[in-house]
């Protein structure tokens, strides 16, 4: 996407308060990727991405900045935690798995885009099949009046189909005999072989045996749309585009890098932190990683590392790895005014989300300005007295204040509920004053 650094920062300002230096640094990094693709091919290979090290406490916007930009620009993006990887030779996730995860995201991203491109074609094909099930075909040699009647009936049925009038009507359709949905546990390490097998089954049309099944038209639309999509999608084109997108635009957000920054050797059989750093180095420097979808070069993947560095410091990383993150930016802690702006000046803010959720129950939720400032004040106090988790504290504070209202929402349908400063104080004063209680509840 052709956006100037200023336009990128302006976009981020709609979602993330403050952190101008971090926004500017990442905006320039992404713009330079666009610039690189416009120079001559030989020079492109020489222009390496300037990886970024973001330093700041949790909840100040590090991940959100990177995630928002990747989503906006249609780039494959994964967030991984450096502390979850192990040195080669130990049981656990190896660092190359982050590249396989990125390819997985690239495949998903490009598949959705391909599906969107052929959406109209798929819908037309599905609607045609269903209408043909509802309207008997014209016999050969039909009269002109019969043809006119057929066209009128066909158009009427098509209109009813499109407006949902026929959704509950049952029809008989043909489906592959072994159609099934495979559930993948996203918490487990990603298995590329199972993904390849699933895609082959989905896109290769392996199940030729068909069975007839009676379903509602609403369900038939979903089932037939899936079959039409399978027959029209090109797996090879998806794979090629996904690998290209990952190599030239992929972003890996490497969180908790400070957790592997200590130079101390591990005891017993635990993998050493330095060992993980050394395994990570060739990936960040640029190497080739084999995946089930083909080989991918990591030379031009943008790595954004982040950490709080409360105990360790960036200089505790091995020198070679430090050198691969030449751009460093420190994010500011969020004060009361920043938290207030997060609640009032961002798109899809927490307050807007809570209002929308209770509107479902017919409850109109309103927040006084003083109450919003109180949310910010109590969040800062809780962060100071316990662990500083930044803007994430707003979630727990607001939830604590409105949990009773939310619980009883079905009894308040049609009512307007105003959240006042007094209500906030009544719910939070005792909790925030008691450090031990605040530590467990907020």
């Amino acid at each position: 996407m052709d956006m100037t650094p200023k336009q990128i920062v302006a976009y981020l300002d709609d979602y993330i308060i403050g952190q101008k230096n971090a926004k500017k640094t990442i905006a320039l990094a992404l713009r330079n990727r666009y610039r690189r693709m416009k120079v001559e091919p030989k020079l492109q290979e020489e222009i390496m991405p300037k990886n970024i090290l973001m330093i700041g406490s949790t909840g100040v916007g590090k991940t959100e900045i990177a995630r928002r930009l990747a989503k906006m620009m249609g780039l494959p993006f994964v967030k991984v935690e450096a502390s979850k990887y192990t040195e080669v030779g130990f049981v656990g996730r190896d660092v190359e798995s982050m590249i396989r995860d990125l390819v997985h995201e690239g495949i998903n991203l490009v598949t959705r885009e391909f599906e969107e491109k052929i959406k109209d074609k798929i819908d037309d094909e599905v609607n045609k099949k269903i209408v043909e099930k509802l309207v008997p075909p014209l016999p050969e040699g039909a009269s002109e009046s019969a043809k006119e009647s057929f066209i009128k009936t066909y158009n009427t049925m098509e209109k009813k189909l499109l407006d949902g009038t026929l959704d509950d009507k049952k029809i008989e359709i043909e489906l592959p005999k072994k159609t099934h949905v495979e559930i993948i546990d996203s918490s487990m390490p990603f298995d590329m072989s199972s993904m390849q097998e699933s895609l082959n089954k989905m896109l290769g049309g392996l199940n030729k045996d068909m069975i007839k099944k009676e379903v509602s038209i609403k369900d038939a639309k979903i089932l037939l749309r899936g079959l039409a999509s399978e027959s029209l999608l090109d797996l090879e084109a998806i794979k090629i585009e996904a690998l290209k997108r990952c190599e030239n635009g992929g972003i890996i957000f490497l969180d908790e890098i400070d957790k592997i920054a200590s130079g101390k050797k591990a005891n017993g059989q635990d993998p050493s932190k330095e060992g993980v750093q050394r395994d990570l180095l060739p990936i960040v420097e640029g190497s080739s990683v084999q995946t089930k979808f083909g080989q991918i070069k990591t030379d031009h993947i943008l790595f954004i590392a982040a950490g709080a560095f409360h105990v360790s410091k960036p200089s505790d990383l091995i020198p070679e790895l430090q050198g691969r993150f030449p751009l460093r930016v420190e994010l500011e802690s969020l004060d009361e005014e920043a938290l207030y702006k997060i609640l009032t000046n961002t798109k899809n803010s927490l307050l807007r989300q809570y209002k929308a959720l209770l509107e479902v129950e017919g409850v109109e939720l309103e927040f006084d300005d003083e109450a919003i400032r109180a949310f910010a004040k109590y969040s800062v106090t809780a962060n100071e007295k316990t662990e500083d988790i930044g803007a994430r504290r707003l979630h727990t504070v607001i939830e604590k204040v409105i949990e009773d209202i939310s619980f009883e929402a079905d009894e308040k349908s049609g009512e307007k509920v105003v959240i006042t400063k007094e209500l906030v104080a009544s719910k939070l004063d005792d909790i925030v004053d008691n450090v031990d209680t605040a530590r467990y509840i907020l």
Side-chain angles (χ1 to χ4, degrees):
M1 186 180 293
D2 182 11
M3 292 181 71
T4 67
K6 289 181 181 178
Q7 290 172 329
I8 293 173
V9 170
Y11 168 81
L12 289 174
D13 284 342
D14 286 337
Y15 298 94
I16 301 151
I17 296 298
Q19 313 303 359
K20 289 184 178 179
N21 290 336
K23 291 174 183 175
K24 183 178 178 181
T25 300
I26 292 189
L28 284 171
L30 291 182
R31 182 63 177 181
N32 280 333
R33 302 187 116 195
Y34 167 80
R35 292 166 177 164
R36 171 182 168 267
M37 298 307 293
K38 297 296 180 182
V39 304
E40 58 179 288
K42 287 185 179 180
L43 192 55
Q44 279 185 22
E45 291 301 313
E46 300 298 324
I47 300 174
M48 296 297 163
K50 303 299 185 290
N51 296 322
I52 301 165
L53 178 62
M54 302 174 75
I55 304 166
S57 301
T58 184
V60 296
K62 301 188 298 292
T63 310
E64 190 65 10
I65 291 173
R67 181 183 286 120
R68 284 285 177 188
L69 282 180
K71 185 177 182 181
M72 174 193 69
M73 304 184 86
L75 301 173
F77 171 87
V78 291
K79 176 190 174 185
V80 297
E81 295 176 358
S83 56
K84 296 293 189 291
Y85 294 96
T86 59
E87 185 180 2
V88 171
F90 290 85
V91 176
R93 299 203 76 188
D94 65 280
V95 293
E96 286 191 353
S97 65
M98 70 176 68
I99 305 300
R100 294 191 286 271
D101 290 346
L102 185 70
V103 173
H104 169 45
E105 289 302 316
I107 291 287
N108 286 343
L109 176 67
V110 176
T111 299
R112 288 193 296 268
E113 290 179 4
F114 274 50
E115 287 176 334
E116 189 61 31
K117 288 179 182 177
I118 61 174
K119 181 179 181 298
D120 291 341
K121 189 174 182 180
I122 291 172
D123 289 343
D124 290 343
E125 186 175 322
V126 168
N127 292 338
K128 182 181 177 183
K129 284 183 179 181
I130 294 177
V131 174
E132 287 175 352
K133 291 280 185 182
L134 297 170
V135 182
L138 268 175
E140 290 185 15
S143 65
E144 288 300 319
S145 61
K147 290 179 181 178
E148 289 178 6
S149 177
F150 172 82
I151 292 171
K152 184 178 180 181
T153 303
Y154 190 99
N155 290 339
T156 300
M157 283 297 185
E158 187 175 42
K159 183 179 179 182
K160 288 183 176 181
L161 177 67
L162 293 174
D163 66 21
T165 306
L166 301 174
D167 278 358
D168 294 331
K169 183 177 176 64
K170 298 279 188 177
I171 62 168
E172 190 178 74
I173 61 173
E174 286 190 336
L175 296 171
K177 194 172 184 179
K178 296 180 180 179
T179 297
H180 72 283
V181 177
E182 183 173 345
I183 306 299
I184 299 175
D185 183 358
S186 61
S187 67
M188 297 295 289
F190 180 65
D191 183 354
M192 295 299 290
S193 60
S194 67
M195 178 64 177
Q196 178 71 43
E197 185 181 351
S198 298
L199 280 172
N200 284 340
K201 288 180 179 178
M202 181 179 74
L203 303 176
L206 298 182
N207 296 317
K208 299 298 184 183
D209 294 337
M210 306 295 283
I211 58 171
K212 291 182 178 180
K213 190 172 183 180
E214 188 177 58
V215 296
S216 69
I217 285 181
K218 183 178 181 180
D219 290 337
K221 288 178 183 177
I222 298 171
L223 293 168
L224 293 175
R225 191 174 287 120
L227 292 176
S229 176
E230 290 171 18
S231 64
L232 293 171
L233 284 175
D234 184 344
L235 174 60
E236 189 63 24
I238 289 173
K239 182 185 77 172
I240 292 171
E241 176 61 23
L243 288 176
K244 179 182 176 183
R245 195 88 60 93
C246 288
E247 283 189 339
N248 294 294
I251 299 175
I252 293 181
F253 189 89
L254 190 59
D255 204 6
E256 296 187 350
I257 197 168
D258 54 321
K259 301 285 181 65
I260 62 168
S262 173
K264 296 178 181 178
K265 300 294 182 184
N267 296 320
Q269 293 300 311
D270 291 333
S272 71
K273 296 176 180 180
E274 184 175 322
V276 176
Q277 291 183 60
R278 295 200 177 280
D279 289 345
L280 184 62
L281 186 60
I283 302 293
V284 179
E285 283 184 330
S287 59
S288 294
V289 175
Q290 187 64 41
T291 77
K292 289 291 183 179
F293 293 101
Q295 197 171 67
I296 177 173
K297 291 183 178 180
T298 69
D299 302 64
H300 299 288
I301 292 173
L302 178 64
F303 289 86
I304 303 174
F309 289 99
H310 290 317
V311 177
S312 59
K313 51 188 182 294
S315 58
D316 288 330
L317 293 166
I318 60 174
E320 300 94 325
L321 194 58
Q322 289 182 53
R324 296 308 301 173
F325 290 89
L327 302 182
R328 298 187 183 182
V329 58
E330 191 164 354
L331 286 84
E332 311 99 26
S333 295
L334 300 174
D335 58 16
E336 189 175 321
E337 185 63 22
L339 292 177
Y340 172 76
K341 287 181 178 178
I342 286 171
L343 292 176
T344 56
N345 292 8
T346 56
K347 286 186 178 179
N348 306 323
S349 71
L350 274 178
L351 301 186
R352 185 177 176 187
Q353 292 172 34
Y354 277 112
K355 286 180 180 180
L357 287 172
L358 289 185
E359 275 179 14
V360 174
E361 305 280 0
V363 177
E364 183 183 352
L365 196 60
E366 185 178 301
F367 295 90
D368 279 353
D369 189 68
E370 287 186 338
I372 299 173
R373 290 198 175 276
F375 284 138
K377 180 180 178 181
Y378 282 111
S379 295
V380 168
T381 302
N383 279 341
E384 290 173 347
K385 290 190 173 184
T386 58
E387 187 176 351
D388 187 353
I389 59 172
R392 293 190 177 94
R393 186 73 66 184
L394 292 170
H395 291 262
T396 51
V397 166
I398 296 172
E399 187 68 37
K400 190 64 184 174
V401 171
I402 71 168
E403 65 178 352
D404 289 337
I405 297 168
S406 183
F407 186 78
E408 298 167 359
D410 60 315
E411 301 171 8
K412 298 178 182 294
S413 184
E415 295 183 21
K416 179 177 181 179
V417 178
V418 180
I419 306 299
T420 64
K421 178 182 177 181
E422 290 72 26
L423 176 62
V424 176
S426 69
K427 294 286 186 179
L428 297 176
D429 265 343
D430 292 340
I431 296 174
V432 174
D433 285 343
N434 188 315
V435 176
D436 290 333
T437 305
R439 195 179 301 279
Y440 287 101
I441 297 180
L442 298 179

